[in-house]
Amino acid sequence: MSFHGTTHRHDGDGYTGRKNSTEESSVLLGSPHSPDEVDYKRQQWPLLLIVIVVVETLILIILGSGIVYLLSKSSSQFPSNAVFSPAQNVIRYKNIAFSPSFKPHLTRYQGPPSPETDDAWRELYNYPISRIDRKDASKIANRTVPIPGDPDHYAVSIDVFHQLHCLQMLRKRAWYAEGYEFDREMMNIDHIDHCIDSIRQSLMCSADVTPLTWAWDEEDQRLEPVAAITHTCRDFDAVREWARENIVREFDTSVHVEPGV
């Protein structure tokens, strides 16, 4: 049987000259290894590397910021609704085992008044007035006065030093019963009464909830509370260092100054 009008061309290898569909597609689309495509890929590599570097940098920045935030939050944990303090950024917490404060475990702050013990106490609270700038002064709950002669800074007293000062006066007044003298003008009964109630309010404000444990005392033959207990405390040294850096050396209380911001 013959087919008219149909011409078949054969190549030398026995295959017909008709190209298959794969070859046609390859010709139409171009070879996957064509020079144009290779050049295009070479041009894209620098851009791709830049994108990768930028993305990795952003990820590292986000992770780093998150770590810094978590560390600062866990170390200070200053409540968001707390009354502002210019020293709140230095607040840190650490665990401290309290001394039982009975013989033979006495601290340097115990014992009768003497130059040594008095100096130790003064080192705790001898920061009566601190200097803050206008920005911080505008954030505190109660208005305060600018420092006489230094109108760009304002005066505040950090309360822990006031409480320690009061406690020192109570200490000296208590030792008076043992025959030691005290400053009668400074430590008059009204001032002492003020100090007692001020410390009461401070203790109730802080409300230390550290559990005191009980143990059997062989000498007394009874159960007694254990005083040498570990507490989670604000880092007093950090607060004192802030006060040392911001102390007001001269403060003329005779100058009439109105509260500022």
Side-chain angles (χ1 to χ4, degrees):
M1 181 182 295
S2 63
F3 295 91
H4 300 284
T6 301
T7 303
H8 295 274
R9 181 173 58 84
H10 294 271
D11 294 329
D13 59 1
Y15 289 95
T16 63
R18 183 183 297 169
K19 292 186 170 82
N20 59 37
S21 60
T22 302
E23 290 174 323
E24 291 174 349
S25 299
S26 176
V27 171
L28 292 173
L29 298 177
S31 171
H33 302 291
S34 65
D36 291 342
E37 186 172 355
V38 171
D39 290 341
Y40 175 77
K41 288 183 177 180
R42 287 176 179 173
Q43 293 173 2
Q44 295 302 308
W45 266 111
L47 179 60
L48 181 60
L49 289 175
I50 292 174
V51 171
I52 292 174
V53 170
V54 170
V55 171
E56 289 181 344
T57 302
L58 289 175
I59 292 174
L60 290 175
I61 291 174
I62 293 172
L63 289 175
S65 300
I67 292 172
V68 170
Y69 170 76
L70 291 175
L71 288 176
S72 62
K73 184 177 180 181
S74 62
S75 61
S76 63
Q77 296 180 346
F78 207 79
S80 59
N81 63 339
V83 173
F84 174 79
S85 168
Q88 69 186 42
N89 289 335
V90 302
I91 295 297
R92 299 292 182 270
Y93 290 87
K94 60 182 182 180
N95 293 333
I96 299 177
F98 278 22
S99 168
S101 302
F102 284 110
K103 293 179 180 179
H105 306 290
L106 299 181
T107 70
R108 61 193 295 245
Y109 307 104
Q110 292 181 261
S114 69
E116 291 75 23
T117 55
D118 290 351
D119 285 345
W121 275 90
R122 275 191 291 269
E123 289 175 4
L124 293 178
Y125 64 77
N126 202 22
Y127 310 95
I129 303 175
S130 297
R131 183 181 71 168
I132 62 174
D133 59 26
R134 178 183 293 270
K135 181 180 178 181
D136 280 351
S138 67
K139 296 178 182 179
I140 60 178
N142 302 289
R143 297 172 66 195
T144 189
V145 298
I147 298 172
D150 186 6
D152 293 330
H153 294 91
Y154 293 74
V156 293
S157 297
I158 301 301
D159 198 35
V160 63
F161 304 121
H162 166 238
Q163 304 300 337
L164 287 167
H165 164 71
C166 270
L167 191 57
Q168 159 75 327
M169 290 206 301
L170 290 177
R171 166 183 167 269
K172 287 193 170 184
R173 189 67 185 255
W175 277 102
Y176 170 70
E178 300 295 324
Y180 291 86
E181 288 298 322
F182 64 94
D183 186 338
R184 294 178 180 272
E185 182 178 355
M186 170 66 71
M187 302 180 194
N188 61 73
I189 192 61
D190 289 336
H191 200 168
I192 294 298
D193 198 35
H194 150 78
C195 280
I196 292 172
D197 203 57
S198 180
I199 294 173
R200 174 195 65 80
Q201 292 178 77
S202 182
L203 290 173
M204 293 175 67
C205 179
S206 60
D208 189 349
V209 294
T210 302
L212 301 179
T213 57
W214 290 71
W216 181 259
D217 188 289
E218 286 292 341
E219 183 177 350
D220 293 339
Q221 286 294 295
R222 64 181 181 184
L223 290 170
E224 294 183 348
V226 178
I229 295 296
T230 298
H231 295 243
T232 297
C233 308
R234 286 182 174 179
D235 189 339
F236 177 78
D237 290 336
V239 177
R240 181 168 53 178
E241 182 60 28
W242 180 93
R244 183 180 290 115
E245 293 174 355
N246 293 279
I247 191 171
V248 176
R249 299 293 180 183
E250 296 182 5
F251 191 75
D252 189 350
T253 58
S254 66
V255 177
H256 180 91
V257 184
E258 291 294 331
V261 292

